[in-house]
Amino acid sequence: MDVKWLFFDIGNTIYDETEADKDRVEALLSDNDYDITAEIFYDDMMNAAAAYAKSPFAAVRNKYGIEETTPYYADKEKLYPDVISTLEKLRMKYKIGVIANQPSITYERLEKDGLISYFDICLLSETEGLEKPDREIFMRALEQADCRPEDAVMIGDRLDNDIFPAKEIGFKTIWLRQGISCKQEPVTDDYVPDCEVSSFKELLEILDVK
């Protein structure tokens, strides 16, 4: 890919949210007497994500008429393997940014985990007052980067939030097919990414970095 900037999502792209999601489900079901197992609930969440539910957790709660909820604990998330080593290599060739639907405190987490130094800009939905798939947050990132859309690639785990809106603007796109949205399928050609990978490390080959 002939680009100058790489823009990354955070959840299920850099951080694996699987354990956090499953712990949340188990907490919800253990605190209440529902006739459903955590395994079935999580499988339904994956199906909801495949159907483009904005919040798979909320969608499954609604499916079973569950009014109660439980908080999501981001400290249960884990970095995917090879994230830091891959970012180190990508940083030698590209400028790197973040476009993510995340709370402002995520910036502190990136600092704590030794990641923030790899990012030249970081746009978080709570800080920007915008969230994907709103195209304005992508345009704002391009403006801050002083980058044309055709010189940028968006890398994320969701076809609806990451690939589709970025592609419409003119970004190149890489779908990192992992996490709860891995069963999504393009609903139109506009949802088809330029490239698809199943692990963070595979980005090195796609982006021609040794």
Side-chain angles (χ1 to χ4, degrees):
M1 285 189 174
D2 184 18
V3 296
K4 298 176 181 177
W5 274 83
L6 312 178
F7 290 97
F8 285 91
D9 180 42
I10 294 288
N12 284 323
T13 300
I14 289 175
Y15 287 96
D16 184 354
E17 297 180 342
T18 304
E19 185 175 329
D21 278 334
K22 289 184 175 180
D23 280 1
R24 187 183 194 189
V25 170
E26 289 174 1
L28 173 68
L29 300 182
S30 64
D31 289 343
N32 302 277
D33 187 21
Y34 298 118
D35 188 23
I36 179 177
T37 66
E39 182 178 2
I40 291 174
F41 192 107
Y42 186 76
D43 286 345
D44 283 350
M45 282 179 61
M46 293 200 72
N47 292 332
Y52 293 102
K54 182 176 181 180
S55 168
F57 181 74
V60 179
R61 283 175 48 236
N62 291 337
K63 175 182 177 179
Y64 292 103
I66 299 174
E67 296 183 0
E68 294 81 9
T69 189
T70 50
Y72 178 87
Y73 292 108
D75 60 355
K76 298 286 187 179
E77 297 175 4
K78 297 179 179 179
L79 280 175
Y80 278 106
D82 302 311
V83 166
I84 291 179
S85 61
T86 300
L87 287 175
E88 285 178 348
K89 293 178 180 178
L90 293 175
R91 190 76 174 83
M92 297 173 67
K93 183 175 180 179
Y94 300 99
K95 293 284 190 178
I96 303 178
V98 166
I99 307 174
N101 289 351
Q102 292 282 331
S104 301
I105 197 172
T106 300
Y107 192 93
E108 297 176 13
R109 182 155 58 110
L110 293 172
E111 284 187 314
K112 177 178 68 69
D113 291 338
L115 295 174
I116 200 63
S117 62
Y118 297 112
F119 303 124
D120 296 282
I121 60 175
C122 184
L123 280 75
L124 306 176
S125 57
E126 185 176 74
T127 304
E128 301 300 322
L130 295 164
E131 66 177 33
K132 301 178 299 183
D134 190 329
R135 287 147 185 77
E136 181 59 31
I137 195 170
F138 294 91
M139 297 302 296
R140 189 173 294 182
L142 291 173
E143 182 179 358
Q144 289 188 21
D146 191 22
C147 176
R148 301 179 305 169
E150 59 266 33
D151 291 329
V153 58
M154 181 66 202
I155 302 164
D157 69 301
R158 290 183 60 154
L159 296 179
D160 51 344
N161 276 2
D162 301 311
I163 304 307
F164 172 65
K167 188 173 179 178
E168 278 211 322
I169 292 169
F171 282 65
K172 295 179 177 66
T173 56
I174 300 176
W175 184 22
L176 193 45
R177 195 168 189 173
Q178 58 188 16
I180 199 170
S181 298
C182 68
K183 292 184 178 180
Q184 286 186 336
E185 294 292 344
V187 292
T188 68
D189 288 345
D190 294 329
Y191 285 73
V192 177
D194 292 294
C195 297
E196 176 183 324
V197 297
S198 57
S199 70
F200 209 86
K201 191 175 183 179
E202 289 179 60
L203 293 172
L204 295 176
E205 182 176 354
I206 295 294
L207 295 165
D208 192 27
V209 174
K210 306 301 181 184

